[in-house]
Amino acid sequence: LGRVLFAQAAGASLDQEKAREAVSEFEKVTKLDKLNFDVYRLLGRLYRGLGDTDNAISAYTKLMGNNLAGQEEFAAVTEMYY
């Protein structure tokens, strides 16, 4: 469900309502599986799209702390800090 909502939210322009629904579903997943790093990547993108810098950085930091962040995540965090 979270991935479907993510796909719907990430259309041509971010659908705020769908993005919030996807965030809610992905947050549930993180409570059940703290090692599902794909979810943190998607959460980072959603939070960033919603303008929630603190939560986006938090999600991306989980990837970085486990050496799973890619160039996109590093660039996003750098951009949000500056």
Side-chain angles (χ1 to χ4, degrees):
L1 178 59
R3 289 186 187 272
V4 170
L5 292 169
F6 177 81
Q8 291 173 347
S13 62
L14 187 70
D15 180 325
Q16 301 280 316
E17 184 178 333
K18 294 282 187 201
R20 286 189 185 89
E21 287 179 54
V23 164
S24 176
E25 292 301 316
F26 287 140
E27 287 293 351
K28 291 175 189 173
V29 172
T30 64
K31 288 179 184 5
L32 297 171
D33 182 3
K34 294 188 184 316
L35 299 178
N36 188 331
F37 295 106
D38 289 335
V39 170
Y40 292 113
R41 181 171 283 112
L42 295 172
L43 275 170
R45 290 178 186 165
L46 286 166
Y47 280 129
R48 186 174 176 212
L50 290 167
D52 187 343
T53 303
D54 291 340
N55 279 318
I57 290 172
S58 176
Y60 287 142
T61 300
K62 286 181 177 52
L63 295 171
M64 292 174 185
N66 288 283
N67 295 320
L68 296 171
Q71 197 170 27
E72 175 187 343
E73 291 82 23
F74 280 107
V77 170
T78 301
E79 180 183 303
M80 286 184 277
Y81 269 118
Y82 298 101

